[in-house]
Amino acid sequence: MSRAGGILRWRRASALRSSLPSGALAGERPPSGAVLFSGNKRLLSTAKTEPRICIVGSGPAGFYTAQHLLKHHKLAQVDIYEKLPVPFGLVRFGVAPDHPEVKNVINTFTQTAHSDRCSFYGNVTVGKDVTVEELQKAYHAVVLSYGADDNRTLGIPGEDLDGVYTARAFVGWYNGLPENRDLKPDLSSETAVVLGHGNVALDVARILLSPLEILQKTDITEDALTALARSKVKRVCLIGRRGPLQVAFTIKELREMINLPSARPFLDPADFKDLGEAVKDLPRPRKRLTELMAKTALEEPGEVVSGRWLSASKEWSLKFLCSPLEVLPTADGKQARAIRLAATRLEGSGDAAKAVPTGDTEDVMSGLILSSIGYRSLPIDPAVPFDPKRGVIPNQSGRVLGAPGLYCSGWVKRGPTGVIMTTMNDSFDTAQSVLEDLQSGALDFPDAKEGFGSVRSILQSRRIRPVSFSDWEKIDAAEVARGKLAGKPREKIVDPKEMLELIGP
Amino acid sequence: MAATRTTALLRAAASSGCRLLSASRGVRGGWAAAASLGPSRLFHASARAPLSSEDKVTVHFINRDGDKLTAQGKVGDSLLDVVIDNNLDIDGFGACEGTLACSTCHLIFEDNIFKNLDAITDEEMDMLDLAYGLTDRSRLGCQICLKKSMNNMTVRVPDAVADARQSMDMSNNSLK
């Protein structure tokens, strides 16, 4: 096997596994003392020359950071740790089941994982099974890319009543996230209220309103399908504190809602009739988004759409300038019955506008309230600085402040907003910081580090069985096979125990 | 991330190379159903006829670091096809594989070329609106198909982040 000039072309394992360089099976390392050819020079590699980098989290942030590191440093060894037995984070557990194209990035992540300088270690909870301090001893750099496991809370009375759920948990539930598999949301209310005007709010509304025939062909979990088949939800009201010019959702997702078969949009003309002047000078993206809402509110649709709306059995609406005050309970005090809202007005304009209560209130009757007001990160380990107010790891260009050798990328770095592409760019940015520091001597490089070599024994002593990428591929194959029987792309396994049983000891 | 031949095969399976709307797909080889199923594991060996000179279109890409990458495609290929098929080294290009679910194939065109491009659809504009560094000569590469009149055109890959630092390639200094 020859490798020219330290340039290792990592190959993607095709279904036929035909194109791997001999002796370099995915996930294996070249034996120490392997010879690297550089043109006519023969150089012995030793552990000294290989930077070993650890990435915590295998969602888009983790994988894009890994990708950039592997591409721009031809000797870097990158290990990706993940607390679940399965990789890909929000691409698997956050992206809606009816948005499969968005999940195409899994292909490029799989390619990265197949690099012989990249290893995946699932079923390892950093902060519990291995500490960040232990990782720092083993690696030249540790990149925290573990995202946002928690959510912002409403902080209102009645928030804990039955029938009130966070959108994060609801999305986790229909996407098979193990921790939400027992959510058992009560879908017997005819009216559902979603608090929030972002893309997650639209996702949740769309899943509640989509015809079953469409959902049945996606990778939504079987449990969710069963529950949705029994759902009584006929109307979804999406409520936001601010106005139409402050909506956080984007136009493609809005268009999708407007075009939903069998669900009719209700946008109040009063919310839009005075916007004309304000819209004129907006940047194009905001302008088009606002114009689409206004058009839906103010104009008569064409014949085909009219017909569809008239025969629609379900509906959704946007409600603005209302802030949640309290969830009102049923007589027995256990369940949500309605939500009390404070009417607000805006102070300021544009993105910076703030909602201020006017003193008026309004009640909306509903037994199903989904709070979609934002995700939030949690601290992972005492060794990692964390800003609890902003919910991020304090950093500059991905370098954790006050903690040399620690980096962060993705939502835990800049906050829980943005699409996969935003995270991609920010991960490349963090990877650049790592590369610069490797070169400048800011890290303990080129001193040798053992990487997984020393972590392995720690995990063994704690009885943790790491899941490799090829283990994941067994789980993947099983899910796809089960899905085939049901006419779905996959049937997700939602119990981590079942996943571990499948791959064996 | 530079693409590989296998990616090219996946792309061949998933797209017609031209003007995809995520709602309706014209797909080579009839893989339409599979194309809408998300991360497909299809490997469709599209038999492509060797390029004749009438078919060939040369495109120059100015990369984010200022490097000029020159590649050839066939009339009808999308610019995403050109990048993938030629394994061009453009970080993060084409993440959603041409399905109008991202804006990572955002490209900036010369005036005279831009004016003659096929009209943009709402679906493309919806995603283009989210692109960083949007200009009035911006389009998504997966939706722009090569025409003979584009021969030797130059397109620019826009910066992806506000303070784009140059990608540091360690391969020349690597053996430290």
Side-chain angles (χ1 to χ4, degrees):
Chain A
M1 157 183 61
S2 73
R3 299 174 185 191
I7 294 172
L8 294 161
R9 282 217 159 265
W10 38 267
R11 313 290 186 102
R12 178 174 14 178
S14 69
L16 305 171
R17 289 202 173 257
S18 60
S19 57
L20 292 169
S22 59
L25 293 175
E28 285 183 14
R29 300 246 186 282
S32 60
V35 175
L36 295 174
F37 291 91
S38 172
N40 293 324
K41 284 189 273 181
R42 264 180 77 168
L43 299 130
L44 272 169
S45 85
T46 65
K48 252 194 225 253
T49 61
E50 295 168 344
R52 292 182 187 272
I53 300 155
C54 162
I55 296 181
V56 179
S58 69
F63 266 103
Y64 276 126
T65 306
Q67 200 174 87
H68 200 82
L69 287 168
L70 289 165
K71 180 181 175 194
H72 293 287
H73 197 302
K74 304 307 182 186
L75 296 177
Q77 304 276 0
V78 180
D79 292 344
I80 304 176
Y81 290 76
E82 163 60 51
K83 75 175 178 200
L84 291 171
V86 297
F88 307 136
L90 282 178
V91 182
R92 175 178 164 100
F93 295 114
V95 175
D98 55 353
H99 287 168
E101 328 72 39
V102 178
K103 304 192 201 194
N104 282 348
V105 289
I106 286 180
N107 297 333
T108 183
F109 298 163
T110 299
Q111 187 173 9
T112 297
H114 284 161
S115 160
D116 48 14
R117 292 182 289 125
C118 182
S119 293
F120 172 78
Y121 298 108
N123 196 39
V124 178
T125 302
V126 171
K128 179 170 87 62
D129 300 335
V130 59
T131 66
V132 169
E133 211 181 303
E134 285 165 337
L135 289 175
Q136 283 192 285
K137 287 206 187 78
Y139 293 92
H140 294 102
V142 175
V143 185
L144 299 150
S145 312
Y146 63 84
D149 269 345
D150 196 12
N151 48 259
R152 293 174 66 202
T153 51
L154 293 166
I156 62 176
E159 189 165 4
D160 296 322
L161 290 170
D162 290 343
V164 183
Y165 310 97
T166 64
R168 188 182 64 80
F170 192 74
V171 170
W173 168 73
Y174 66 62
N175 271 338
L177 184 60
E179 75 184 54
N180 298 128
R181 68 189 187 272
D182 294 325
L183 190 70
K184 299 190 180 33
D186 181 349
L187 305 179
S188 60
S189 175
E190 280 196 7
T191 301
V193 159
V194 180
L195 300 168
H197 280 169
N199 283 331
V200 176
L202 290 188
D203 274 355
V204 159
R206 194 180 66 252
I207 295 297
L208 285 171
L209 296 170
S210 282
L212 220 59
E213 307 83 70
I214 292 182
L215 295 178
Q216 271 165 354
K217 299 199 191 85
T218 69
D219 64 7
I220 195 170
T221 61
E222 194 186 319
D223 262 356
L225 270 178
T226 309
L228 288 165
R230 290 192 309 244
S231 162
K232 298 277 187 294
V233 175
K234 276 197 172 39
R235 72 189 74 85
V236 179
C237 183
L238 293 117
I239 302 180
R241 287 186 302 184
R242 300 190 295 172
L245 291 175
Q246 286 77 37
V247 298
F249 50 69
T250 45
I251 193 171
K252 179 179 157 114
E253 286 72 16
L254 175 68
R255 212 185 280 286
E256 201 179 355
M257 286 299 290
I258 292 167
N259 293 335
L260 273 180
S262 76
R264 183 198 163 143
F266 278 102
L267 273 62
D268 187 345
D271 289 325
F272 295 94
K273 63 179 173 40
D274 294 326
L275 279 186
E277 272 308 299
V279 171
K280 255 175 30 196
D281 297 316
L282 292 173
R284 192 179 84 180
R286 176 62 72 182
K287 184 158 179 237
R288 289 179 73 237
L289 175 60
T290 311
E291 283 173 347
L292 180 57
M293 280 190 284
K295 175 166 173 243
T296 307
L298 298 168
E299 284 178 23
E300 280 298 314
E303 216 178 297
V304 170
V305 176
S306 268
R308 197 175 76 218
W309 286 357
L310 281 172
S311 60
S313 56
K314 300 185 184 170
E315 61 187 68
W316 61 275
S317 59
L318 290 177
K319 205 169 163 59
F320 297 99
L321 300 170
C322 291
S323 181
L325 282 176
E326 187 181 346
V327 180
L328 305 173
T330 47
D332 64 4
K334 295 207 189 112
Q335 281 190 293
R337 172 176 62 84
I339 183 154
R340 178 153 294 161
L341 306 160
T344 66
R345 60 178 172 76
L346 288 181
E347 270 179 10
S349 66
D351 285 344
K354 282 196 148 33
V356 170
T358 61
D360 291 336
T361 66
E362 181 187 347
D363 292 351
V364 173
M365 302 298 134
S366 169
L368 173 58
I369 295 168
L370 291 148
S371 160
S372 182
I373 58 173
Y375 284 60
R376 190 171 61 185
S377 295
L378 295 170
I380 193 176
D381 186 297
V384 181
F386 190 79
D387 178 344
K389 190 154 163 275
R390 290 174 55 224
V392 294
I393 295 175
N395 72 92
Q396 184 146 77
S397 295
R399 293 181 177 93
V400 177
L401 296 178
L406 283 186
Y407 301 80
C408 54
S409 66
W411 280 7
V412 81
K413 168 187 178 187
R414 57 164 221 287
T417 59
V419 295
I420 293 177
M421 184 187 67
T422 338
T423 287
M424 178 179 86
N425 291 328
D426 120 5
S427 301
F428 289 173
D429 180 61
T430 294
Q432 274 305 107
S433 296
V434 176
L435 292 169
E436 282 173 8
D437 292 352
L438 279 172
Q439 183 152 65
S440 72
L443 299 167
D444 287 336
F445 183 73
D447 289 351
K449 292 271 192 184
E450 289 196 50
F452 187 71
S454 51
V455 176
R456 179 187 288 114
S457 48
I458 293 173
L459 294 177
Q460 266 168 3
S461 72
R462 295 177 188 156
R463 325 268 245 132
I464 306 292
R465 184 243 196 268
V467 171
S468 70
F469 202 76
S470 51
D471 287 332
W472 145 247
E473 286 172 325
K474 289 200 192 87
I475 296 171
D476 183 27
E479 290 186 343
V480 170
R482 293 184 199 187
K484 233 195 183 109
L485 300 173
K488 300 160 77 172
R490 70 176 61 242
E491 183 59 61
K492 286 180 186 169
I493 299 173
V494 303
D495 184 351
K497 275 219 222 48
E498 197 181 330
M499 294 175 188
L500 293 175
E501 271 161 26
L502 209 146
I503 57 180
Chain B
M1 173 207 75
T4 64
R5 188 68 219 154
T6 328
T7 324
L9 296 177
L10 260 183
R11 290 264 318 124
S15 84
S16 68
C18 207
R19 296 305 299 256
L20 287 175
L21 299 179
S22 32
S24 65
R25 306 269 202 86
V27 176
R28 268 190 218 126
W31 293 97
S36 63
L37 282 178
S40 48
R41 303 277 190 269
L42 298 170
F43 295 89
H44 169 70
S46 68
R48 292 158 78 105
L51 296 175
S52 71
S53 57
E54 288 91 61
D55 278 342
K56 274 195 288 214
V57 178
T58 299
V59 182
H60 308 286
F61 295 81
I62 307 293
N63 209 347
R64 292 180 186 121
D65 53 9
D67 273 1
K68 180 154 132 175
L69 309 168
T70 298
Q72 286 192 323
K74 224 169 68 181
V75 169
D77 284 349
S78 74
L79 285 171
L80 177 59
D81 290 332
V82 173
V83 170
I84 301 289
D85 294 348
N86 290 279
N87 212 5
L88 297 184
D89 186 9
I90 305 174
D91 277 338
F93 200 84
C96 78
E97 298 178 5
T99 56
L100 281 179
C102 76
S103 51
T104 60
C105 67
H106 172 205
L107 292 168
I108 300 173
F109 293 79
E110 299 163 303
D111 255 333
N112 57 322
I113 300 286
F114 183 78
K115 282 204 282 269
N116 294 316
L117 296 176
D118 289 348
I120 191 169
T121 59
D122 273 342
E123 283 77 8
E124 180 187 340
M125 207 181 297
D126 286 353
M127 294 318 299
L128 187 59
D129 272 356
L130 304 185
Y132 185 80
L134 194 60
T135 70
D136 51 16
R137 284 176 289 118
S138 289
R139 292 289 297 266
L140 293 182
C142 68
Q143 301 300 295
I144 302 300
C145 299
L146 294 179
K147 299 185 210 169
K148 218 37 212 144
S149 54
M150 295 178 184
N151 196 28
N152 270 314
M153 76 170 168
T154 300
V155 298
R156 192 161 64 81
V157 183
D159 281 339
V161 286
D163 60 335
R165 292 172 289 176
Q166 297 302 356
S167 267
M168 180 172 273
D169 193 337
M170 305 286 286
S171 54
N172 292 329
N173 315 319
S174 59
L175 303 171
K176 282 194 183 147

